[in-house]
Amino acid sequence: MSLYSQTVDFLSGAFSDNESKLPLLAVAGASFTLGLIARSGFAQSESPKTIFSSPRLAVSASISELENGQLPLPTDVLPGARDVFTPYGSIRVYEWGPEDGPKVLFVHGITTPCIALGGVAHALVDRGCRVMLFDLFGRGYSDCPADLPQDDRLFSTQIFLALTSSPISWTGAESGKFCLTGYSLGGGIAATFASYFPHLISSLVLLAPAGLLRDSHISFQTRLLYSKGLMPENILTSLVRRRLGAGPLVTPKPKDTKLNAADALTEELPSQSAAATQILSRSYPHINVPSTVAWQVNNHTGFVHAFMSSMRYGPILQQRQWNNWVRLGEYLTAQNETSSNENKRPGDNKVHILCGDNDLIIIKSEIVPDATAALGGNVVFKFYEAGHEFPSTIYEEVASYIFEIL
């Protein structure tokens, strides 16, 4: 099959609206051809933005307190909200819980703001923990740097910016270290951060983590996102925005098919029945992940850019991240060799990976051997009867597991 034909298949599969499919295909096909001939012809004439603003200022300036509470993502959706102003744009951080409790820092996934982990965070605070969550650049109420790739360097920097904004110490000698918990893309971010700064972390919990996804599972559709220049960027951005705005796929994805970029959206969203029962925000029980993501797609000017950049440069694929996981495993092996066996529990100095048995992205039969090999055996697994979205649906069980290892 030709490259052009595969591209048409991608565009055709991206939309379910039959009435709009043909004209869109015609425009996209012509744009793809012209892009190969003269890519610069589609360049924006104005100077490129350096920061895409979040909806924060627009929301705070235009709506009342009552209207704010009715939003799919209220500005005070979680306790302890603050905006941290940085050279990369503003970062939305939430922090609450007893100041002297065990500390847990959460890093969320590629499409959902940090509210997706609100249920786990609340449950840990109920158990006496201090928690911190923040919206990754381009999600929720965090701005998005437009001129930097969303890669290990940017994400690690954002973690430090969030940590140092706290009124209490998370990294000092008397801080007691902290548990780092990452979900999906956030799992890949957390593993990479831990591989460079393991001395800051008391424990590492990865929920359906990216980072070791086998390259053979990636579809042509997603490779098109990775390959800048094959299509004009503004055309590709418009197509991705439309697909993300369409929400979850109606037809379940067969297990034996290759993954495409839309799966990252689909699999992070719980079913409608699960979304109806989850309580991610104690202040606003009506909040759920699907409506929050839909609102984010339509209101955050940097979200699609952040999504595409994370797919291209983020800690997702095994071929890019293997060495980071190996470095982390080597550190843990050295720690186990030098630490005393007295009072040592089976899960100490190990990475804890929690997954769903029915996850279509992080597959059990692959993550177990791959993570075990990369980490030199310094890993413990826990599986739930659930899919990729489990941290937002069975958060009490997840919180109980995390609290047990603190």
Side-chain angles (χ1 to χ4, degrees):
M1 181 182 293
S2 69
L3 182 63
Y4 177 79
S5 298
Q6 293 181 70
T7 305
V8 171
D9 286 345
F10 159 59
L11 298 171
S12 178
F15 311 112
S16 58
D17 185 352
N18 291 327
E19 294 182 359
S20 62
K21 186 179 297 182
L22 291 178
L24 278 170
L25 287 175
V27 172
S31 298
F32 175 77
T33 304
L34 290 174
L36 293 176
I37 299 173
R39 296 167 189 162
S40 61
F42 286 87
Q44 297 287 339
S45 58
E46 67 270 14
S47 299
K49 290 185 177 181
T50 57
I51 293 178
F52 291 112
S53 298
S54 79
R56 176 179 58 87
L57 292 178
V59 167
S60 60
S62 62
I63 67 173
S64 66
E65 183 176 345
L66 177 61
E67 291 171 323
N68 175 66
Q70 296 172 343
L71 288 175
L73 186 64
T75 55
D76 54 346
V77 68
L78 292 173
R82 63 176 178 265
D83 295 303
V84 181
F85 297 97
T86 80
Y88 304 91
S90 178
I91 301 172
R92 170 57 59 89
V93 180
Y94 305 91
E95 180 182 359
W96 77 101
E99 292 188 0
D100 59 350
K103 300 180 183 69
V104 184
L105 174 68
F106 291 94
V107 187
H108 66 82
I110 191 170
T111 58
T112 60
C114 68
I115 185 59
L117 298 174
V120 183
H122 276 298
L124 283 171
V125 171
D126 291 343
R127 292 163 170 80
C129 295
R130 179 79 170 186
V131 301
M132 182 189 297
L133 305 89
F134 63 93
D135 289 329
L136 289 171
F137 287 125
R139 288 83 168 177
Y141 288 109
S142 287
D143 294 341
C144 178
D147 55 345
L148 296 172
Q150 298 223 348
D151 59 9
D152 297 345
R153 297 167 296 178
L154 183 64
F155 291 130
S156 293
T157 299
Q158 189 177 12
I159 288 176
F160 276 120
L161 292 170
L163 289 173
T164 56
S165 71
S166 176
I168 65 175
S169 175
W170 281 67
T171 60
E174 303 301 322
S175 68
K177 301 184 178 182
F178 62 91
C179 169
L180 179 57
T181 300
Y183 165 53
S184 196
L185 172 67
I189 294 171
T192 297
F193 184 88
S195 76
Y196 285 108
F197 310 105
H199 56 285
L200 300 178
I201 298 170
S202 61
S203 51
L204 179 62
V205 180
L206 307 179
L207 311 175
L212 293 180
L213 188 63
R214 295 182 182 181
D215 185 63
S216 59
H217 286 305
I218 303 302
S219 69
F220 169 80
Q221 302 166 11
T222 301
R223 294 181 194 279
L224 189 64
L225 284 179
Y226 290 150
S227 304
K228 293 190 69 173
L230 282 180
M231 287 185 67
E233 196 74 359
N234 57 338
I235 297 297
L236 186 55
T237 298
S238 297
L239 295 172
V240 172
R241 179 182 299 279
R242 179 157 182 170
R243 175 60 195 96
L244 294 177
L249 300 174
V250 176
T251 304
K253 172 184 165 59
K255 286 189 175 183
D256 58 348
T257 57
K258 289 183 179 291
L259 298 173
N260 60 59
D263 296 325
L265 168 74
T266 303
E267 296 303 320
E268 283 189 9
L269 301 186
S271 65
Q272 291 300 320
S273 59
T277 60
Q278 63 185 188
I279 300 178
L280 304 178
S281 170
R282 300 277 176 90
S283 299
Y284 303 101
H286 71 280
I287 299 300
N288 62 72
V289 171
S291 62
T292 296
V293 172
W295 179 85
Q296 177 181 250
V297 171
N298 293 323
N299 291 275
H300 199 310
T301 60
F303 172 65
V304 173
H305 171 87
F307 177 89
M308 292 172 61
S309 186
S310 296
M311 292 294 293
R312 286 169 171 163
Y313 308 112
I316 296 175
L317 295 179
Q318 183 178 129
Q319 64 180 15
R320 296 179 183 174
Q321 295 298 310
W322 184 264
N323 290 341
N324 292 333
W325 287 63
V326 168
R327 182 172 57 251
L328 176 59
E330 291 172 346
Y331 172 85
L332 294 173
T333 295
Q335 289 293 104
N336 285 314
E337 290 174 350
T338 58
S339 61
S340 170
N341 288 325
E342 294 183 12
N343 301 320
K344 186 176 179 181
R345 297 176 301 177
D348 290 348
N349 290 329
K350 292 184 182 294
V351 177
H352 296 259
I353 296 181
L354 283 58
C355 292
D357 279 319
N358 304 321
D359 196 325
L360 300 182
I361 295 179
I362 309 304
I363 301 170
K364 182 176 182 178
S365 62
E366 296 179 356
I367 187 66
V368 171
D370 291 353
T372 300
L375 296 170
N378 299 297
V379 59
V380 176
F381 296 96
K382 170 71 174 178
F383 288 89
Y384 300 95
E385 185 60 34
H388 190 71
E389 80 296 336
F390 75 91
S392 67
T393 55
I394 55 170
Y395 39 80
E396 282 290 344
E397 292 92 323
V398 174
S400 294
Y401 186 96
I402 295 174
F403 187 72
E404 184 68 25
I405 67 174
L406 291 177

